[in-house]
Amino acid sequence: MSNGLPAGKVPIMYMNVFRSRKRADMDAAAYLADAARMAELARAQPGFVSYKSFTAEDGETVTISEWASEADARAWAGHFEHRAVQNRGRSEYYDCYTVYSCDQPDVRRYTRGSASGGLA
């Protein structure tokens, strides 16, 4: 994967990891509609890099979003439509959640078959 940087260097980025557990009595259809809209809206924001969400067997979800900078991530966090859905999430969807945020995460990669033996 080429990112235009010297070998071993990764682009500057800001990462959010959102771990959550949803309420048993939440409106699943409303949640799915809000989640789809937020994914669509996030992708259109300046500095958006990527977004992925995973659900564990025990029901916990983990969502990872990557941004070009902390300022971009904070702008998204403060977006008026996103703020409204965050408030709805606290009042209607989530039992609990934790957000982890960091800039310049320590990144290690493996790519099978690469000239460096796979490690970068």
Side-chain angles (χ1 to χ4, degrees):
M1 181 172 133
S2 174
N3 57 21
L5 296 173
K9 298 293 180 184
V10 296
I12 294 173
M13 79 160 126
Y14 192 81
M15 179 182 292
N16 287 315
V17 177
F18 179 74
R19 294 179 65 175
S20 64
R21 292 194 179 275
K22 293 172 194 69
R23 293 171 37 173
D25 64 344
M26 74 160 194
D27 180 340
Y31 172 82
L32 290 173
D34 278 343
R37 174 64 182 144
M38 291 302 98
E40 173 189 26
L41 190 59
R43 287 182 176 95
Q45 299 308 300
F48 173 84
V49 175
S50 74
Y51 161 90
K52 292 182 182 178
S53 190
F54 308 90
T55 303
E57 289 180 13
D58 67 358
E60 180 182 25
T61 59
V62 176
T63 300
I64 301 168
S65 65
E66 295 174 323
W67 299 86
S69 70
E70 181 176 356
D72 292 329
R74 290 192 182 279
W76 166 240
H79 185 282
F80 75 95
E81 196 172 340
H82 187 207
R83 294 293 286 186
V85 172
Q86 289 172 15
N87 289 333
R88 193 161 40 255
R90 285 188 288 275
S91 66
E92 299 177 24
Y93 302 145
Y94 295 111
D95 186 42
C96 62
Y97 67 78
T98 305
V99 179
Y100 303 89
S101 301
C102 67
D103 60 355
Q104 293 303 301
D106 184 18
V107 178
R108 292 174 295 286
R109 290 191 170 98
Y110 166 80
T111 303
R112 188 172 60 88
S114 71
S116 65
L119 296 175

